[in-house]
Amino acid sequence: MSGLAQSGAAAIDRAHLAALTAREQAAFAERNPRSRALFERTGRTLLGGVPMCWMSLWAGGFPLFFEEARGNTITDVDGHAYLDFCLGDTGAMAGHAPEATAAAVERRYRRGTTAMLPTADAAWVGEELVRRFGLDAWQFCLTASDANRYLLRIARHLTGRSQVLVFNGCYHGTVEEAAIELDGPGGAPRPRHGNLGPMVDPRETTRVIEFNDVDALEQALAPGDVACVLAEPALTNIGIVLPEPGYHEALRELTARAGTLLVLDETHTMSSGPGGWTGAHDLRPDALTVGKSIAGGIPIGAYGLRREVADALLGTGVELDDTGAFGSTLGGNALSMAAARATLEHVLTEETYARTIPLAARFAQGVRDAIEARRLPWHVVQIGARAEYRFSATPPRDGGESAAIADPELDAYLHCYLLNRGVLITPFHNMALMAPTTTAADVDRHVDVFAAAADELLAVA
Ligand SMILES: Cc1ncc(COP(=O)(O)O)c(C=O)c1O
């Protein structure tokens, strides 16, 4: 992002920002000798020094190695306790190791987890997902990426069409078709940065348009070759981009008219309520994916189909086995099912959302007040139990606008400042999620530290 100066708004001195970030990173290195030593050690055996490449993308220069995570608190190997608003980027929306899930997982593991047979928990979980999301027939896998991938294949199989449509700035996990973006405002599609060794260029499989643009949607669907639209109900992976009033109605109507399946990915918007955005706003997708949070941190992905879609699929005479590269041995395993049952029955309940959503509102309001008091041209957006601040005066309307306001320098400073004071938000942008155990005092602590970081930023000598 270029300068932040807007008329009447406080401006950021970039040299001062760089000096503050350097100070915070030095303090981080000093404060975390054990994590630093472990990172040096893992650098000798793990690619990039971490078990999963994105784990190194933290502002301090190396990741904290954690010892224990419980509820909304993380303790690292250097003995520091953190208020965790990152919550595993949604994987721990139920809080870390919630008691009911921990007990169910322990019980189930001791009684076996993978036998090529279902358990009674599958019956309960299936009924609960139908109740929450209104989709009629469910399947399970181990990641939300896989859930999306399977639905794209089902959509292509059912429609006989090759193309999928996604939105600029989307992220749907490791789905190759979605690794595409627009090259600037009004630009042409291009593979996304970091799209390694794709099987085919995503421009061959995928149409990409801006969110909230009904005309572009109509045009993209017009040739009649799009098998499905894969969409988050609100974009959450390029900051938050909310749908404008009427957009979901248009999306539903235009996809139905074009014979294109509408697939909603609720992996992150599960923060909206027990049935995700779909349940909270009474949407009617043809299929839906969810993952990460619903088994309390035990691997799971799930996808649901509308009855007509499920019947059509079975009616094509397909054999739902794995020889066609569809399925996985541990998908739907008894441990995932037991964890999902316990989490949905006892943790991510209506009562929990009734607590966490107002906490996110308190978080958003606290940050908003701090921003306004300092006349910073920044804004905050909330989706249920999740809130996020960004560095523009008004929220972006699509992925392109959202990409344009990205400010990695400010992100790095704020994230490191927060880390050094025991507060953790999601590393890639500024998302904060409320766990069932998060308290108003935790939220206020973040606001205080955020305000102090902003004050230092504006206090140019
Ligand atoms: C909207 C959305 N869908 C799918 C995924 C993929 O989830 P997983 O990493 O569990 O495959 C993500 C991951 O962040 C996501 O944000």
Side-chain angles (χ1 to χ4, degrees):
M1 186 181 174
S2 53
L4 279 166
Q6 297 185 4
S7 86
I12 304 298
D13 179 317
R14 291 283 152 175
H16 179 54
L17 171 60
L20 286 176
T21 306
R23 183 195 77 189
E24 290 301 319
Q25 286 176 336
F28 182 86
E30 179 80 13
R31 191 178 129 87
N32 297 294
R34 291 209 172 105
S35 280
R36 186 156 36 99
L38 275 170
F39 190 56
E40 274 159 24
R41 191 169 142 207
T42 51
R44 294 194 278 276
T45 55
L46 305 181
L47 190 63
V50 278
M52 197 19 135
C53 51
W54 43 256
M55 285 184 192
S56 61
L57 299 177
W58 287 84
F62 57 89
L64 296 171
F65 285 66
F66 86 93
E67 186 81 44
E68 187 169 298
R70 271 179 189 267
N72 64 319
T73 304
I74 288 186
T75 312
D76 70 8
V77 291
D78 285 287
H80 307 120
Y82 293 85
L83 288 177
D84 185 13
F85 290 99
C86 168
L87 295 175
D89 194 29
T90 304
M93 184 189 288
H96 297 286
E99 196 46 49
T101 310
V105 165
E106 189 180 344
R107 241 185 352 258
R108 183 69 255 171
Y109 187 74
R110 291 187 181 284
R111 293 160 68 217
T113 60
T114 176
M116 297 192 87
L117 293 167
T119 55
D121 288 330
W124 190 95
V125 174
E127 286 156 11
E128 180 64 5
L129 294 181
V130 170
R131 188 184 76 76
R132 288 186 180 220
F133 295 102
L135 276 297
D136 305 292
W138 289 83
Q139 280 285 278
F140 297 91
C141 45
L142 294 177
T143 65
S145 297
D146 267 350
N148 283 325
R149 203 175 281 120
Y150 295 144
L151 279 182
L152 297 194
R153 293 186 62 185
I154 288 172
R156 286 198 295 257
H157 174 73
L158 283 177
T159 60
R161 300 174 177 183
S162 64
Q163 295 292 301
V164 302
L165 188 149
V166 299
F167 293 101
N168 192 31
C170 73
Y171 179 70
H172 296 286
T174 58
V175 175
E176 286 196 24
E177 289 93 332
I180 189 166
E181 66 186 2
L182 294 173
D183 188 1
R190 65 176 181 204
R192 279 185 87 157
H193 175 71
N195 182 14
L196 303 182
M199 196 160 23
V200 292
D201 187 311
R203 285 170 290 203
E204 287 183 31
T205 57
T206 311
R207 227 153 269 166
V208 53
I209 59 169
E210 292 288 12
F211 200 59
N212 280 325
D213 185 341
V214 176
D215 290 342
L217 179 65
E218 198 160 9
Q219 273 175 33
L221 296 177
D225 58 354
V226 176
C228 70
V229 171
L230 173 61
E232 283 190 278
L235 302 184
T236 66
N237 282 292
I238 187 136
I240 289 175
V241 178
L242 295 175
E244 290 179 343
Y247 188 66
H248 273 292
E249 288 76 0
L251 180 59
R252 181 59 284 187
E253 194 190 316
L254 291 174
T255 45
R257 204 191 299 160
T260 295
L261 295 181
L262 176 58
V263 178
L264 292 183
D265 179 347
E266 290 275 9
T267 304
H268 277 181
T269 44
M270 200 47 209
S271 61
S272 309
W277 187 289
T278 294
H281 298 268
D282 202 22
L283 302 187
R284 298 267 184 265
D286 297 303
L288 179 151
T289 53
V290 67
K292 295 204 200 186
S293 61
I294 61 167
I298 295 293
I300 194 166
Y303 56 100
L305 303 172
R306 202 158 56 77
R307 172 59 55 210
E308 293 79 351
V309 178
D311 288 348
L313 179 64
L314 296 174
T316 61
V318 286
E319 282 185 28
L320 293 174
D321 64 19
D322 60 355
T323 53
F326 194 96
S328 67
T329 311
L330 291 182
N333 72 77
L335 193 68
S336 296
M337 292 295 125
R341 177 177 181 164
T343 305
L344 296 174
E345 192 171 1
H346 301 293
V347 193
L348 289 179
T349 58
E350 306 262 355
E351 299 73 47
T352 293
Y353 283 99
R355 280 196 60 251
T356 54
I357 292 174
L359 278 174
R362 183 185 181 101
F363 183 103
Q365 193 55 49
V367 172
R368 201 171 288 127
D369 290 345
I371 289 171
E372 280 169 13
R374 289 158 186 81
R375 302 175 68 221
L376 285 159
W378 300 351
H379 72 270
V380 198
V381 181
Q382 181 188 353
I383 300 180
R386 158 191 300 253
E388 171 140 9
Y389 38 91
R390 300 294 306 286
F391 309 120
S392 68
T394 50
R397 125 166 239 269
D398 57 40
E401 280 187 23
S402 201
I405 61 166
D407 192 332
E409 291 172 3
L410 264 178
D411 280 354
Y413 165 62
L414 279 170
H415 290 197
C416 203
Y417 194 99
L418 290 165
L419 279 171
N420 285 338
R421 290 152 188 84
V423 180
L424 219 136
I425 61 173
T426 204
F428 312 138
H429 30 106
N430 306 307
M431 188 280 285
L433 183 61
M434 311 299 132
T437 54
T438 305
T439 64
D442 297 339
V443 166
D444 296 348
R445 167 76 186 145
H446 164 274
V447 173
D448 289 347
V449 178
F450 172 85
D455 283 340
E456 290 211 49
L457 197 55
L458 296 172
V460 186

